Amino acid sequence: MFNDLPARPGGGVRRSPEVDRRVFIDKQSPEAYQALVRTSEAVRSVAADAGLDRRLVELVNLRVSQINGCAFCLHVHTRAALRAGETTQRLGVLPAWRDADLFSGAERAALALAEAATSPADLDARDTAHAEARAVFTDDQISAVLWVAVTINAFNRVSIMSRHPVPPER
């Protein structure tokens, strides 16, 4: 039916505007979205109570959003990381954090744990990440890192499936 339409930039066949229009599920089901927001607020409090630095929390948010390819969450959490004092150098090399000596042992453990929570099918990676986290974090901190990863994964799905646009910088 739409095979006669020209290709999109970057490949693929163009679809009708109705097919490309997504439901913003946060707007369509505000009660559910507000429950997710309240969960995020509780997780932020749990992370602070566990002694996790806001920059570490934002690194986890960003790394998970990178893995998931969530442009909107990357936009939001890059700004939050910069406000929390993160450097552009570290943000720039975050996708290759294992190859950069810019991250502390705790940050490396948190990033590995967040990656394992985001792609949990790899049992060996999960076990290794948990062992590394055990070496540097308390149980409360491990729990907080995992809750941050779980929560941003949920927000990633909301934004990706809704196709939330990234607003241009002013």
Side-chain angles (χ1 to χ4, degrees):
M1 174 166 149
F2 296 111
N3 293 338
D4 298 340
L5 296 172
R8 292 180 177 185
V13 173
R14 286 190 195 273
R15 296 180 302 257
S16 75
E18 187 58 30
V19 171
D20 280 338
R21 187 180 74 78
R22 299 286 176 101
V23 172
F24 279 26
I25 65 173
D26 51 327
K27 306 289 187 251
Q28 189 67 34
S29 305
E31 310 82 28
Y33 183 73
Q34 285 307 310
L36 184 56
V37 168
R38 287 190 301 276
T39 299
S40 176
E41 291 166 351
V43 168
R44 190 175 310 128
S45 179
V46 164
D49 291 349
L52 296 183
D53 182 79
R54 186 69 194 173
R55 288 176 303 162
L56 183 139
V57 169
E58 292 306 333
L59 287 175
V60 168
N61 285 330
L62 283 166
R63 185 64 193 125
V64 170
S65 297
Q66 288 171 343
I67 293 166
N68 290 326
C70 184
F72 185 80
C73 292
L74 286 167
H75 167 73
V76 167
H77 291 285
T78 296
R79 295 172 66 153
L82 291 169
R83 281 193 309 273
E86 192 51 80
T87 68
T88 56
Q89 180 190 30
R90 285 169 32 109
L91 293 178
V93 300
L94 184 57
W97 64 268
R98 285 180 176 84
D99 298 324
D101 292 331
L102 301 174
F103 300 94
S104 71
E107 289 166 337
R108 289 174 172 283
L111 292 168
L113 201 55
E115 288 181 359
T118 302
S119 304
D122 185 343
L123 180 60
D124 290 337
R126 282 193 330 231
D127 289 346
T128 300
H130 192 78
E132 290 171 359
R134 272 255 171 254
V136 295
F137 289 131
T138 67
D139 287 354
D140 285 345
Q141 291 171 324
I142 290 170
S143 179
V145 168
L146 287 170
W147 272 110
V148 170
V150 166
T151 306
I152 193 63
N153 268 293
F155 276 108
N156 287 170
R157 270 52 174 190
V158 169
S159 290
I160 290 167
M161 296 310 296
S162 299
R163 280 204 180 157
H164 286 157
V166 175
E169 296 268 329
R170 292 181 214 143

